[in-house]
Amino acid sequence: MADTIVTFTSRSLEEILESGGSQEWVLNRKNARKANYLVCARNANGEAGHGPGPEAHKSGFLLGKISGLGPGDTKPGRYIILISEYAEIDEPDLWVFGRNPVHYTTLEELGIDPDAVDWQPVAGKPTRPQKVSANVFDTAKELIAKQLGIGVDAVEITIRT
């Protein structure tokens, strides 16, 4: 089972740490919620406006412990993969996963040993507490119940972080 999300990013290590994670990703939330680790690989040809890092194109440069998922900063429907700890890695030619900039795999398949790195705490924003009105849940439960043709009391909402 995949325990790792790999992102192909143009953001620098400093940008990722400052924001508390790697962001603006379209994710398969079911797979993403099961992941424990984030690996970032350098996209040296990526999005303009981001400070490119010194790493070689396609090389893995960051390993992070995932602490949760949150909404991205700029684009609706995109997410930030939050990390609580990180380690700098140097994995040449790690990105071999094609055009989609998000890939689900395992650290074992990547050849990365999480016990062999120097973990550091993320000093940026490792978590983003969400303030959600109870009314949002009531509305969501009503919509789900109506769509399924069941009573509102039969609907439960669980949030995993």
Side-chain angles (χ1 to χ4, degrees):
M1 175 172 24
D3 67 355
T4 304
I5 302 171
V6 185
T7 61
F8 193 44
T9 182
S10 60
R11 294 179 191 252
S12 69
L13 175 65
E14 292 75 22
E15 285 179 289
I16 293 167
L17 296 178
E18 188 175 298
S19 63
S22 184
Q23 65 179 314
E24 302 307 329
W25 301 112
V26 175
L27 299 174
N28 175 320
R29 292 187 62 194
K30 182 178 179 182
N31 289 343
R33 281 196 308 259
K34 295 176 186 176
N36 298 315
Y37 298 100
L38 167 69
V39 173
C40 293
R42 170 64 52 227
N43 180 353
N45 304 323
E47 193 176 334
H50 295 290
E55 304 85 15
H57 186 60
K58 297 185 177 183
S59 66
F61 65 95
L62 177 141
L63 171 63
K65 290 183 181 179
I66 296 176
S67 61
L69 303 174
D73 283 342
T74 61
K75 298 176 183 173
R78 301 215 177 194
Y79 295 90
I80 182 171
I81 304 162
L82 299 162
I83 56 174
S84 57
E85 296 178 64
Y86 78 99
E88 291 185 58
I89 60 173
D90 183 11
E91 297 288 333
D93 298 315
L94 180 127
W95 186 262
V96 294
F97 307 111
R99 294 179 57 96
N100 186 346
V102 176
H103 183 76
Y104 304 92
T105 187
T106 65
L107 286 184
E108 184 177 354
E109 288 175 4
L110 296 173
I112 298 173
D113 180 358
D115 296 325
V117 299
D118 182 23
W119 292 104
Q120 301 293 318
V122 173
K125 307 175 211 170
T127 60
R128 290 184 179 189
Q130 300 294 315
K131 293 183 179 179
V132 179
S133 161
N135 197 22
V136 170
F137 292 107
D138 292 338
T139 302
K141 289 170 73 171
E142 288 171 9
L143 291 170
I144 292 167
K146 183 177 179 181
Q147 181 72 28
L148 297 175
I150 60 175
V152 173
D153 293 337
V155 178
E156 294 182 10
I157 296 176
T158 303
I159 298 174
R160 294 183 183 92
T161 58

